[in-house]
Amino acid sequence: MLNIDQIKGIIFDYGATIDTNGKHWAEVLWDAYTDNEVPVEKSAFRDAYVYGERYLATNRVIQPHHTFRDVLLAKTDLQIKWLVEHGFLPKDDKSFTYSLAVSNQCYNFVISTLQKAEPILSRLAEKYLMVLVSNFYGNVEAVLQDFGLYSYFDSVIESAVVGVRKPDPAIFVLGVKALNLNPEEVVVIGDSHSKDITPATSIGCRTIWIQGPGWEEEKPGSKADEIIHDFSELKKIFNL
């Protein structure tokens, strides 16, 4: 159980924590594939998703000025091209229209999710120091600016900028240092037990796990100081 009176600072994850309310991005994308009747099996989609993420992580496709709409279109373009090249989709004009349809649906989903999350972030920022720690592509500041969230964070620590990626605990050490607090005075809020909760716990931080539909099944017995299933539950935890 989290003792909120001991908490002076918050470290937030971004992707799948703030922007999708705990739902893994692969699941958000797959829902859009299904809704737009992209004729592929989920196993093929998963392979395309992994390919796209690895490609974006190793190639500077995303530039610091790119917005999240740009990121989504780049992701879906890579996925659809992979599916076409590997014979899961026909090589015709219709296949290449799926990318825009899928990315637009995902973008609209994020907008609706952030409309609910933003007031909570605003109220938390009035009470606590806040830092964002994210595995991202080098443009998370542009994304936050575009969505009107940047001012809520006292510092932003991004994997592509600092050269450390979750689940390496070192990236959370940087977050704690940015807050200028002791680890036990900091609570880490994230959607991934393996990438957020486990490394944060290992350095002495408190944790809140937003447990939603994930990429993989979490190990039995996975724990956190608090486990929630909706971003809005933070209002009760922090007495907002």
Side-chain angles (χ1 to χ4, degrees):
M1 184 68 69
L2 182 67
N3 184 348
I4 201 65
D5 294 333
Q6 295 179 348
I7 300 302
K8 298 179 180 179
I10 301 172
I11 292 177
F12 266 107
D13 171 51
Y14 178 70
T17 295
I18 295 175
D19 62 354
T20 72
N21 195 19
K23 189 172 186 177
H24 193 282
W25 258 102
E27 297 300 322
V28 176
L29 282 157
W30 176 244
D31 285 348
Y33 270 66
T34 301
D35 292 345
N36 287 280
E37 300 181 343
V38 183
V40 295
E41 297 294 329
K42 191 172 185 179
S43 58
F45 160 74
R46 285 174 67 95
D47 289 343
Y49 175 84
V50 170
Y51 164 78
E53 291 304 303
R54 289 176 178 172
Y55 189 92
L56 291 176
T58 56
N59 295 270
R60 293 305 300 271
V61 175
I62 305 300
Q63 298 299 312
H65 67 278
H66 282 152
T67 65
F68 196 58
R69 188 182 288 277
D70 299 324
V71 172
L72 281 173
L73 192 56
K75 283 175 178 279
T76 52
D77 276 346
L78 285 167
Q79 292 163 14
I80 296 298
K81 288 175 182 177
W82 187 93
L83 289 164
V84 169
E85 290 171 1
H86 288 78
F88 294 104
L89 287 174
K91 193 174 183 179
D92 57 22
D93 290 341
K94 184 176 182 181
S95 291
F96 292 102
T97 66
Y98 291 131
S99 179
L100 183 59
V102 168
S103 62
N104 280 342
Q105 178 170 324
C106 291
Y107 186 80
N108 290 334
F109 171 75
V110 166
I111 292 296
S112 65
T113 303
L114 292 181
Q115 286 175 344
K116 299 173 184 177
E118 188 273 338
I120 299 171
L121 292 172
S122 177
R123 292 171 71 181
L124 286 171
E126 292 173 358
K127 298 179 65 175
Y128 299 95
L129 296 170
M130 299 209 308
V131 167
L132 192 83
V133 172
S134 177
N135 283 355
F136 221 74
Y137 310 102
N139 69 318
V140 76
E141 289 194 12
V143 170
L144 294 173
Q145 292 276 14
D146 188 45
F147 287 140
L149 304 177
Y150 185 74
S151 63
Y152 298 139
F153 298 98
D154 298 280
S155 184
V156 173
I157 297 169
E158 183 179 7
S159 61
V161 175
V162 300
V164 183
R165 288 182 63 83
K166 302 173 188 178
D168 189 335
I171 196 168
F172 288 103
V173 172
L174 293 176
V176 173
K177 287 182 178 178
L179 290 167
N180 196 28
L181 296 170
N182 298 316
E184 62 272 17
E185 298 173 312
V186 177
V187 62
V188 172
I189 303 174
D191 71 291
S192 172
H193 197 278
S194 61
K195 293 182 179 179
D196 297 314
I197 306 307
T198 298
T201 301
S202 75
I203 65 167
C205 292
R206 307 279 72 82
T207 56
I208 299 173
W209 180 20
I210 302 180
Q211 189 180 38
W215 176 248
E216 296 176 342
E217 293 293 327
E218 297 289 349
K219 295 179 180 179
S222 296
K223 297 179 180 179
D225 291 297
E226 297 283 352
I227 298 176
I228 61 176
H229 299 91
D230 192 276
F231 201 84
S232 65
E233 293 177 65
L234 293 176
K235 291 188 289 185
K236 182 177 181 180
I237 291 175
F238 288 98
N239 301 313
L240 298 181

